[in-house]
Amino acid sequence: MKQLSDRINNLPVSQTLAMSAKARELKEQGKDIISLSIGEPDFNTPEFIKKAAIQAIEDNYNSYTPVDGYKDLKQAISRKFKRDNNLNYDLDQIVVSTGAKQSIANIAMVLLNPGDEILLPAPYWVSYSAIAILAEAKFIEIPTSIRSDFKITPKQLEDSITPKTKMIFFNSPNNPSGSVYSEQEYRELAKVLEKHPNIYILSDEIYEHINYGVTHFSFASIESMYERTITVNGVAKAFAMTGWRIGYIGGPAWIAKACNKMQGQITSGANCIAQKATIAALDAPVSEINYMVEEFEKRRDLVIKLLGNIEGLVLNIPKGAFYIFPDVSFYFGKTIKGRIINNSSDLSMLLLEEANVATVSGDAFGANDCIRISYAASKEVLTEAISRISKVLKS
Ligand code: GLU
């Protein structure tokens, strides 16, 4: 009898990955699909990083790596935290993982007990809630809307805290909304958390460098938060290295030690070649990746202009990442191409099947009124995609 565990049966499928797999499958069947579903840079990994990887192969890096990462990589991460984030992390406070997703899963697994509550300001990245489910914790959404630029207020935070609250996840720049918390906004939220010393903070900063004219601020750099914040980052988004799978954390040494133990039983250390390439990425001046960020900004402006012409879409202005998260609720209750649109999932499916454009529905991110469009694609592709979306929505 094929009997899977309750654990896997209760786990939702990752909607970002499912949508991109579906788009790939339809393309393979010969359909002219434009995929704006998954969030990954469409650039090549920069040459200097590729060279470092080739050098590592030539130098015969092929053995198991230390579970928590090569020492020289951890030193580079420590320098990066100091240089970019004003954060001091010693080597025993750093753990390298197979992607930021694994870093987040490690933290959830080592900190959460069944029944603990974890606060997720919504919209949030699809895997946060799924990881909470795996950890048998209860996730509590703190809803926001486009009117508050998808950011929570100190009062909302205070009202959401219960004696069971163990963690909160912050993510700025945010996937899927592109919103960025200012230093002032983070400091006000920190004031609330100061009154609740048992709550840990996970600050996912994977989109740190992809921001448009705003200063990135790390939550852990607030002095009172340092001892209970774990900063998560990686090279996937900023350096166009999604497939290399390198993420890392900086945080309290006792939490890093526990993540090391967890990883030691599940995956061991991250890939040797990718770790060596990551040293080159992190040691390079941030200006090396400006050309990608500048291009993303131009695409953001284009997407805002084109989507702005479509009736009923309400847009925010994303300050970072490469997603836009329009409110599409104007279309709920309407019939388009013979289909009744009841929610974001119906709308996303309509766009896939009638416009041949793959997006991700907002319900996967805890925000049913919206859909996520990734603009990590060329301007020509984006223009064509939005023209198709417009035609279908007009009908
Ligand atoms: N983080 C990216 C996204 O949201 C990659 C896919 C994933 O791991 O969810 O599309």
Side-chain angles (χ1 to χ4, degrees):
M1 197 175 67
K2 293 176 184 168
Q3 185 62 55
L4 291 171
S5 67
D6 294 345
R7 185 177 307 108
I8 195 69
N9 284 334
N10 290 336
L11 190 69
V13 167
S14 163
Q15 284 307 312
T16 49
L17 300 185
M19 238 356 208
S20 88
K22 186 153 179 102
R24 204 178 306 133
E25 191 186 303
L26 290 171
K27 264 190 210 168
E28 278 162 15
Q29 288 168 16
K31 287 222 168 111
D32 174 24
I33 300 287
I34 298 179
S35 181
L36 304 181
S37 53
I38 200 156
E40 71 174 332
D42 55 331
F43 295 98
N44 293 328
T45 302
E47 286 303 318
F48 70 95
I49 300 174
K50 291 200 276 191
K51 283 211 178 87
I54 292 165
Q55 190 61 48
I57 296 173
E58 300 285 356
D59 291 346
N60 291 311
Y61 279 95
N62 62 327
S63 313
Y64 283 129
T65 58
V67 173
D68 54 345
Y70 281 131
K71 187 172 177 192
D72 52 356
L73 173 54
K74 296 206 315 173
Q75 284 164 334
I77 292 168
S78 181
R79 285 193 293 275
K80 177 257 174 280
F81 273 131
K82 184 75 202 147
R83 180 192 67 198
D84 299 342
N85 312 101
N86 196 26
L87 287 170
N88 289 311
Y89 288 122
D90 291 332
L91 300 198
D92 65 346
Q93 296 181 274
I94 292 170
V95 178
V96 178
S97 301
T98 301
K101 193 182 281 190
Q102 186 184 20
S103 298
I104 295 166
N106 281 343
I107 294 161
M109 293 303 162
V110 307
L111 283 180
L112 295 166
N113 275 320
D116 283 344
E117 289 179 3
I118 152 168
L119 299 178
L120 298 182
Y124 49 81
W125 178 45
V126 293
S127 292
Y128 293 167
S129 48
I131 287 170
I133 291 170
L134 261 188
E136 296 178 61
K138 187 171 165 201
F139 67 89
I140 311 288
E141 294 177 356
I142 310 181
T144 65
S145 78
I146 206 158
R147 284 176 300 285
S148 62
D149 192 22
F150 297 113
K151 291 190 251 184
I152 59 164
T153 62
K155 174 158 182 356
Q156 277 184 296
L157 174 58
E158 183 75 73
D159 292 348
S160 309
I161 292 172
T162 75
K164 288 192 174 157
T165 309
K166 180 79 187 274
M167 289 197 84
I168 179 161
F169 281 16
F170 287 133
N171 173 217
S172 171
N174 179 269
N175 174 5
S177 71
S179 295
V180 173
Y181 281 89
S182 68
E183 174 175 350
Q184 186 56 28
E185 286 164 338
Y186 259 173
R187 286 194 182 278
E188 278 163 22
L189 293 172
K191 271 191 206 136
V192 175
L193 291 167
E194 276 166 16
K195 291 184 264 170
H196 302 275
N198 297 328
I199 299 177
Y200 292 89
I201 302 100
L202 182 150
S203 177
D204 178 355
E205 303 182 13
I206 190 78
Y207 295 96
E208 163 183 26
H209 292 306
I210 304 171
N211 80 62
Y212 313 120
V214 286
T215 310
H216 176 78
F217 184 75
S218 289
F219 199 78
S221 67
I222 301 171
E223 217 183 305
S224 60
M225 296 292 111
Y226 177 79
E227 287 295 341
R228 51 193 171 110
T229 300
I230 309 101
T231 307
V232 177
N233 213 324
V235 285
K237 312 291 181 178
F239 298 95
M241 292 174 72
T242 49
W244 299 66
R245 309 307 302 134
I246 296 291
Y248 56 86
I249 62 159
W254 62 275
I255 296 177
K257 191 173 167 197
C259 291
N260 187 358
K261 180 175 167 189
M262 171 63 68
Q263 206 158 272
Q265 292 289 25
I266 295 182
T267 52
S268 300
N271 176 280
C272 50
I273 311 299
Q275 286 199 54
K276 289 290 172 184
T278 297
I279 298 175
L282 296 183
D283 276 342
V286 176
S287 57
E288 285 285 340
I289 54 167
N290 276 354
Y291 69 98
M292 291 190 259
V293 180
E294 281 163 14
E295 181 59 23
F296 285 134
E297 185 169 4
K298 285 185 199 142
R299 294 169 183 184
R300 176 200 65 168
D301 293 344
L302 175 73
V303 160
I304 290 173
K305 190 175 117 213
L306 297 176
L307 290 174
N309 293 332
I310 302 179
E311 190 198 6
L313 294 189
V314 185
L315 305 174
N316 66 323
I317 307 229
K319 306 261 179 358
F322 33 61
Y323 309 106
I324 188 156
F325 202 53
D327 184 315
V328 295
S329 57
F330 168 82
Y331 291 98
F332 296 173
K334 297 194 165 56
T335 303
I336 305 175
K337 298 249 177 210
R339 302 152 179 259
I340 302 173
I341 306 301
N342 284 318
N343 48 45
S344 60
S345 183
D346 291 347
L347 194 93
S348 184
M349 221 21 102
L350 170 88
L351 296 180
L352 179 64
E353 287 169 6
E354 300 290 345
N356 282 350
V357 177
T359 58
V360 186
S361 66
D363 54 353
F365 303 92
N368 183 40
D369 286 346
C370 303
I371 60 166
R372 190 188 80 173
I373 297 173
S374 162
Y375 53 85
S378 73
K379 292 197 213 63
E380 294 70 36
V381 167
L382 292 168
T383 306
E384 169 63 17
I386 297 172
S387 147
R388 291 185 191 180
I389 293 174
S390 172
K391 272 189 209 130
V392 167
L393 293 182
K394 266 190 198 134
S395 64

Short mmCIF file of all heavy atoms in Angstrom, two decimals, residues 14-17 20 37-40 101 125-127 175-176 206-207 237 242 245 322-323 360 365 372 374, ligand 1:
data_model
loop_
_atom_site.label_atom_id
_atom_site.label_comp_id
_atom_site.label_asym_id
_atom_site.label_seq_id
_atom_site.Cartn_x
_atom_site.Cartn_y
_atom_site.Cartn_z
N SER A 14 5.22 23.85 -3.47
CA SER A 14 5.70 25.23 -3.69
C SER A 14 5.08 25.77 -4.97
O SER A 14 5.30 25.23 -6.06
CB SER A 14 7.24 25.24 -3.82
OG SER A 14 7.64 26.46 -4.42
N GLN A 15 4.28 26.82 -4.85
CA GLN A 15 3.55 27.36 -6.01
C GLN A 15 4.47 28.05 -7.01
O GLN A 15 4.18 28.09 -8.20
CB GLN A 15 2.43 28.31 -5.56
CG GLN A 15 1.23 27.60 -5.00
CD GLN A 15 0.69 26.53 -5.94
OE1 GLN A 15 0.51 26.75 -7.13
NE2 GLN A 15 0.46 25.33 -5.43
N THR A 16 5.58 28.61 -6.51
CA THR A 16 6.51 29.24 -7.45
C THR A 16 7.13 28.18 -8.35
O THR A 16 7.19 28.32 -9.57
CB THR A 16 7.64 29.98 -6.69
OG1 THR A 16 8.17 29.09 -5.71
CG2 THR A 16 7.12 31.22 -6.01
N LEU A 17 7.53 27.07 -7.72
CA LEU A 17 8.17 26.00 -8.49
C LEU A 17 7.13 25.27 -9.35
O LEU A 17 7.40 24.90 -10.49
CB LEU A 17 8.89 25.01 -7.56
CG LEU A 17 10.00 25.64 -6.69
CD1 LEU A 17 10.73 24.56 -5.89
CD2 LEU A 17 11.01 26.39 -7.53
N SER A 20 6.32 27.36 -12.42
CA SER A 20 7.38 27.38 -13.43
C SER A 20 7.51 26.00 -14.07
O SER A 20 7.80 25.89 -15.26
CB SER A 20 8.69 27.90 -12.85
OG SER A 20 9.45 26.90 -12.29
N SER A 37 6.84 33.54 -13.83
CA SER A 37 6.46 32.91 -12.56
C SER A 37 7.62 32.84 -11.60
O SER A 37 7.56 33.43 -10.51
CB SER A 37 5.89 31.51 -12.83
OG SER A 37 6.79 30.75 -13.60
N ILE A 38 8.69 32.19 -11.98
CA ILE A 38 9.75 32.01 -10.98
C ILE A 38 10.61 33.26 -10.89
O ILE A 38 10.74 34.00 -11.85
CB ILE A 38 10.62 30.77 -11.31
CG1 ILE A 38 11.37 30.32 -10.06
CG2 ILE A 38 11.57 31.05 -12.45
CD1 ILE A 38 11.77 28.88 -10.10
N GLY A 39 11.16 33.48 -9.70
CA GLY A 39 12.00 34.66 -9.50
C GLY A 39 13.46 34.29 -9.64
O GLY A 39 14.08 33.86 -8.68
N GLU A 40 13.98 34.45 -10.86
CA GLU A 40 15.42 34.26 -10.98
C GLU A 40 15.98 35.14 -12.06
O GLU A 40 15.37 35.32 -13.12
CB GLU A 40 15.79 32.80 -11.21
CG GLU A 40 15.48 32.21 -12.52
CD GLU A 40 16.05 30.79 -12.62
OE1 GLU A 40 17.06 30.50 -11.97
OE2 GLU A 40 15.46 29.99 -13.35
N LYS A 101 17.05 28.90 1.25
CA LYS A 101 15.87 28.13 1.66
C LYS A 101 16.26 27.10 2.73
O LYS A 101 15.55 26.92 3.72
CB LYS A 101 15.28 27.42 0.43
CG LYS A 101 13.89 26.84 0.65
CD LYS A 101 13.38 26.11 -0.59
CE LYS A 101 12.87 27.04 -1.65
NZ LYS A 101 12.17 26.36 -2.76
N TRP A 125 6.86 35.06 1.35
CA TRP A 125 7.34 34.07 0.37
C TRP A 125 6.71 32.71 0.67
O TRP A 125 6.60 32.30 1.83
CB TRP A 125 8.86 34.00 0.43
CG TRP A 125 9.44 32.98 -0.49
CD1 TRP A 125 9.10 32.77 -1.80
CD2 TRP A 125 10.44 32.02 -0.18
NE1 TRP A 125 9.85 31.74 -2.32
CE2 TRP A 125 10.68 31.26 -1.34
CE3 TRP A 125 11.17 31.72 0.98
CZ2 TRP A 125 11.61 30.24 -1.39
CZ3 TRP A 125 12.10 30.70 0.93
CH2 TRP A 125 12.31 29.97 -0.25
N VAL A 126 6.33 32.01 -0.40
CA VAL A 126 5.53 30.79 -0.27
C VAL A 126 6.11 29.74 0.68
O VAL A 126 5.36 29.03 1.36
CB VAL A 126 5.31 30.11 -1.65
CG1 VAL A 126 4.44 30.97 -2.54
CG2 VAL A 126 6.63 29.84 -2.37
N SER A 127 7.43 29.65 0.74
CA SER A 127 8.02 28.57 1.54
C SER A 127 8.03 28.84 3.04
O SER A 127 8.26 27.92 3.83
CB SER A 127 9.43 28.24 1.04
OG SER A 127 9.34 27.67 -0.25
N ASN A 175 9.73 39.57 -1.15
CA ASN A 175 9.17 38.70 -2.18
C ASN A 175 7.81 38.27 -1.64
O ASN A 175 7.78 37.65 -0.58
CB ASN A 175 10.08 37.47 -2.37
CG ASN A 175 9.51 36.44 -3.32
OD1 ASN A 175 8.48 36.65 -3.93
ND2 ASN A 175 10.20 35.31 -3.42
N PRO A 176 6.71 38.65 -2.22
CA PRO A 176 6.46 39.05 -3.60
C PRO A 176 6.20 40.53 -3.85
O PRO A 176 6.00 40.91 -5.00
CB PRO A 176 5.15 38.31 -3.89
CG PRO A 176 4.39 38.44 -2.60
CD PRO A 176 5.44 38.34 -1.52
N ILE A 206 17.78 38.23 1.25
CA ILE A 206 18.30 37.68 -0.01
C ILE A 206 18.24 38.70 -1.16
O ILE A 206 19.02 38.62 -2.10
CB ILE A 206 17.56 36.36 -0.36
CG1 ILE A 206 18.22 35.62 -1.53
CG2 ILE A 206 16.10 36.58 -0.66
CD1 ILE A 206 19.44 34.86 -1.22
N TYR A 207 17.30 39.67 -1.09
CA TYR A 207 17.20 40.67 -2.16
C TYR A 207 17.91 41.98 -1.81
O TYR A 207 17.70 43.00 -2.48
CB TYR A 207 15.72 40.95 -2.49
CG TYR A 207 15.03 39.74 -3.07
CD1 TYR A 207 14.28 38.88 -2.27
CD2 TYR A 207 15.16 39.41 -4.42
CE1 TYR A 207 13.68 37.74 -2.78
CE2 TYR A 207 14.56 38.28 -4.95
CZ TYR A 207 13.82 37.45 -4.13
OH TYR A 207 13.24 36.33 -4.65
N LYS A 237 20.35 35.62 -5.90
CA LYS A 237 19.65 36.69 -6.60
C LYS A 237 20.61 37.79 -7.06
O LYS A 237 20.56 38.23 -8.19
CB LYS A 237 18.57 37.29 -5.70
CG LYS A 237 17.67 36.26 -5.02
CD LYS A 237 16.76 35.54 -5.97
CE LYS A 237 15.89 34.56 -5.20
NZ LYS A 237 14.94 33.84 -6.01
N THR A 242 21.39 31.31 -9.00
CA THR A 242 20.31 30.53 -8.37
C THR A 242 20.63 29.03 -8.33
O THR A 242 20.38 28.36 -7.33
CB THR A 242 18.97 30.75 -9.10
OG1 THR A 242 19.19 30.59 -10.50
CG2 THR A 242 18.41 32.14 -8.86
N ARG A 245 23.27 27.20 -5.59
CA ARG A 245 22.74 26.82 -4.29
C ARG A 245 23.67 27.13 -3.12
O ARG A 245 24.17 26.21 -2.44
CB ARG A 245 22.35 25.32 -4.26
CG ARG A 245 21.47 24.81 -5.38
CD ARG A 245 20.19 25.60 -5.59
NE ARG A 245 19.35 25.67 -4.43
CZ ARG A 245 18.80 26.82 -4.01
NH1 ARG A 245 18.99 27.95 -4.64
NH2 ARG A 245 18.04 26.81 -2.94
N PHE A 322 12.56 41.74 -7.78
CA PHE A 322 12.17 41.90 -9.19
C PHE A 322 10.77 41.35 -9.43
O PHE A 322 10.53 40.61 -10.38
CB PHE A 322 13.19 41.30 -10.15
CG PHE A 322 13.92 40.08 -9.63
CD1 PHE A 322 13.23 38.93 -9.30
CD2 PHE A 322 15.30 40.10 -9.49
CE1 PHE A 322 13.89 37.82 -8.83
CE2 PHE A 322 15.99 38.99 -9.01
CZ PHE A 322 15.28 37.85 -8.68
N TYR A 323 9.88 41.72 -8.48
CA TYR A 323 8.48 41.29 -8.60
C TYR A 323 7.57 42.50 -8.50
O TYR A 323 7.90 43.47 -7.81
CB TYR A 323 8.10 40.35 -7.45
CG TYR A 323 9.06 39.22 -7.26
CD1 TYR A 323 9.94 39.21 -6.18
CD2 TYR A 323 9.07 38.14 -8.15
CE1 TYR A 323 10.83 38.16 -6.00
CE2 TYR A 323 9.96 37.09 -7.96
CZ TYR A 323 10.83 37.11 -6.89
OH TYR A 323 11.72 36.08 -6.72
N VAL A 360 2.18 33.91 -10.65
CA VAL A 360 1.87 33.09 -9.47
C VAL A 360 0.74 33.77 -8.71
O VAL A 360 0.78 34.99 -8.49
CB VAL A 360 3.10 32.91 -8.53
CG1 VAL A 360 2.77 31.93 -7.40
CG2 VAL A 360 4.32 32.43 -9.30
N PHE A 365 0.98 33.37 -1.40
CA PHE A 365 1.79 34.28 -0.59
C PHE A 365 0.97 34.88 0.56
O PHE A 365 1.39 35.85 1.19
CB PHE A 365 2.31 35.44 -1.45
CG PHE A 365 3.12 35.02 -2.66
CD1 PHE A 365 2.51 34.81 -3.89
CD2 PHE A 365 4.49 34.83 -2.56
CE1 PHE A 365 3.26 34.42 -5.00
CE2 PHE A 365 5.24 34.45 -3.67
CZ PHE A 365 4.62 34.24 -4.89
N ARG A 372 1.44 37.61 -8.51
CA ARG A 372 2.85 38.02 -8.60
C ARG A 372 3.35 37.87 -10.03
O ARG A 372 3.20 36.82 -10.65
CB ARG A 372 3.74 37.20 -7.68
CG ARG A 372 5.14 37.78 -7.59
CD ARG A 372 6.10 36.88 -6.83
NE ARG A 372 6.59 35.80 -7.66
CZ ARG A 372 7.55 34.95 -7.28
NH1 ARG A 372 8.10 35.07 -6.07
NH2 ARG A 372 7.95 33.98 -8.08
N SER A 374 6.92 38.26 -12.08
CA SER A 374 8.36 38.46 -11.98
C SER A 374 8.82 39.22 -13.22
O SER A 374 8.51 38.83 -14.33
CB SER A 374 9.07 37.10 -11.90
OG SER A 374 10.44 37.27 -12.22
N1 GLU B 1 12.50 32.44 -4.53
C1 GLU B 1 12.16 32.34 -5.92
C2 GLU B 1 10.70 32.64 -6.17
O1 GLU B 1 10.02 33.05 -5.29
C3 GLU B 1 12.58 31.01 -6.46
C4 GLU B 1 11.63 29.87 -6.36
C5 GLU B 1 11.45 29.41 -4.97
O2 GLU B 1 12.36 28.80 -4.43
O3 GLU B 1 10.38 29.68 -4.44
O4 GLU B 1 10.24 32.52 -7.25
#
